[in-house]
Amino acid sequence: MPAPPTWRRFLHQFAGCFTVPSQTLFEQLITAWVLCPGRHTLTRLWSVIPAEVRHPYHAYARLVRIGRWSMDELWRRLLGHLVERWVPDGPITLLLDDTLMLKTGRRVNGTGMYRDAVRSTRIHTVTARGLNIVVVGLRVLAPWGGEPLALPILVRLHRKGGATLIDMASAMMEQLAEWLPERSFCLVADGAYASLVGRRLPRTTVISRIQRNAALFEQIPPRTGRRGRPRKRGRRLPAPPGLAAEVTTWTREVVRFRGRVVRRDLWAREVLWYEPCPDHTLLLVIVRDPDGHEADDFFITTDTTAAPAEVVATYADRWAIEDSFRNIKQYLGAEDPQSWVGVGPERAVSLACWSSAAVWDWFVAVHGDRPTWPERPWYATKRTPSFADALATLRRDTWWLSIFGGSPAEPINPENAAAMLAVLAEAA
């Protein structure tokens, strides 16, 4: 299947995960996945593969549904490649969250009714049927600056009646620590995962948003020498908003916030959040907008020596995984494959997430910070690429090779013109 040599070399790195025939199917399927401009059903992906090289449709369906290969091994090799290229040393910052992949039909294995965060509000909860997946993404600082990228490196399916989201997140971090035994991690997650601060994850610092009504205490007081059970917690402190109301000594700092810098007033202290973490203190960081446009925010971290400004900036990077979810659903059609049984539904969603990391990795490695998007008079200030730009660049490079790869330097001949029109017709 025609594709840029750089893309083929990237996919060849994962040959050890498959048999030789399955590796061919995998490379064709992933390439079709990023080239497909419409709904990403398996039948449409099959139609994108050139007829002269594609196999019968059922071969690709079986690869996804019952193929004898391991998605975990695919993740492990991708993680090793990404870490070696983008984070060769120092702590690895990971972004954690879950999202709902909408799926209709009660026979789709692994689906259930879950809260749809996209359509829900603070006062109105909307539920929908789908696959609830937990995703860990690698934070990558893009060469063009701005908001970082979140490249998925591990996906798990959350099932009703099974392990809780917190248990699954803990197991995923233990798996990543096993794959990278010599590296340390900084895990960033929203408030739903704040109780991970009490899980003692291997070589992992946790940063999260704390509940506004959290019961906080001072550190455990020293022993008095009297008889009886020693105290397990100190004096009860006000809830985070109450602490913020009492603060008079704010520190104003310039904070990196999703690719830009903002002024914020910061205050931090060690606290004991007894319910999830009764045996050691945590660092509470309170953030206030000096202009009063935004409400106070409250963060917690297991690293009591961390700089408050760095805690705030690192948590702000968490938004990159929300962008990643949008890209995976909108541009890679993670909700589209009509695989119903066995591990098929989970694998199809995982392959869409895997493809998004592959596209970003290829784009940054090959094109770096060079603009690849066409000039748009109505958007003259555009300076940084989006995932849609990266995907369009890979498609353009692939189609150019497919149409003109075997052409001489002379003007295009009628046969090549016919081939070009055929490709463009498929893109419509």
Side-chain angles (χ1 to χ4, degrees), residues 42-55:
L42 291 181
T43 51
R44 186 165 179 84
L45 297 179
W46 179 81
S47 69
V48 172
I49 302 172
E52 63 271 15
V53 297
R54 70 185 175 207
H55 296 260

Side-chain angles (χ1 to χ4, degrees), residues 166-398:
I166 298 298
D167 289 338
M168 291 183 66
S170 298
M172 294 169 77
M173 288 306 304
E174 290 171 0
Q175 180 69 81
L176 293 173
E178 181 181 335
W179 287 346
L180 298 174
E182 298 180 356
R183 302 299 297 271
S184 59
F185 307 93
C186 176
L187 179 65
V188 186
D190 66 12
Y193 294 90
S195 59
L196 287 173
V197 296
R199 287 299 180 104
R200 292 194 177 276
L201 303 176
R203 306 187 304 280
T204 301
T205 296
V206 177
I207 298 177
S208 185
R209 178 182 272 127
I210 192 172
Q211 300 170 4
R212 300 177 71 89
N213 62 348
L216 304 178
F217 300 85
E218 290 184 340
Q219 300 182 45
I220 303 174
R223 294 290 301 271
T224 61
R226 298 177 181 176
R227 296 176 62 184
R229 190 188 70 178
R231 295 186 62 181
K232 294 185 177 181
R233 50 194 175 188
R235 180 179 64 89
R236 174 74 181 264
L237 296 172
L243 284 175
E246 296 177 355
V247 176
T248 58
T249 56
W250 296 95
T251 301
R252 183 160 299 180
E253 296 193 36
V254 175
V255 179
R256 174 176 51 83
F257 184 82
R258 293 169 57 183
R260 55 190 177 91
V261 293
V262 296
R263 294 181 305 115
R264 289 292 183 266
D265 291 336
L266 307 178
W267 183 83
R269 68 160 293 173
E270 287 189 47
V271 297
L272 182 66
W273 190 14
Y274 186 79
E275 183 177 359
C277 187
D279 54 354
H280 62 276
T281 58
L282 307 168
L283 182 67
L284 172 69
V285 179
I286 302 179
V287 186
R288 173 165 290 178
D289 180 2
D291 299 324
H293 298 311
E294 300 179 11
D296 293 348
D297 218 340
F298 309 95
F299 303 107
I300 202 80
T301 177
T302 55
D303 183 4
T304 56
T305 64
E310 188 60 27
V311 172
V312 176
T314 304
Y315 184 85
D317 290 344
R318 192 202 68 83
W319 190 256
I321 199 168
E322 302 289 355
D323 288 339
S324 184
F325 290 156
R326 179 199 60 190
N327 295 333
I328 292 167
K329 295 176 183 180
Q330 183 171 342
Y331 297 109
L332 294 177
E335 298 172 326
D336 297 339
Q338 296 173 321
S339 186
W340 291 8
V341 299
V343 295
E346 181 179 1
R347 276 185 173 178
V349 170
S350 296
L351 286 174
C353 296
W354 192 95
S355 299
S356 73
V359 169
W360 266 132
D361 178 74
W362 173 86
F363 178 80
V364 178
V366 175
H367 294 277
D369 57 355
R370 293 173 295 172
T372 59
W373 54 89
E375 184 177 347
R376 299 179 176 94
W378 59 88
Y379 196 0
T381 59
K382 181 178 176 64
R383 295 292 181 271
T384 60
S386 64
F387 182 78
D389 295 321
L391 196 60
T393 302
L394 178 55
R395 289 173 176 174
R396 189 161 52 247
D397 288 2
T398 303

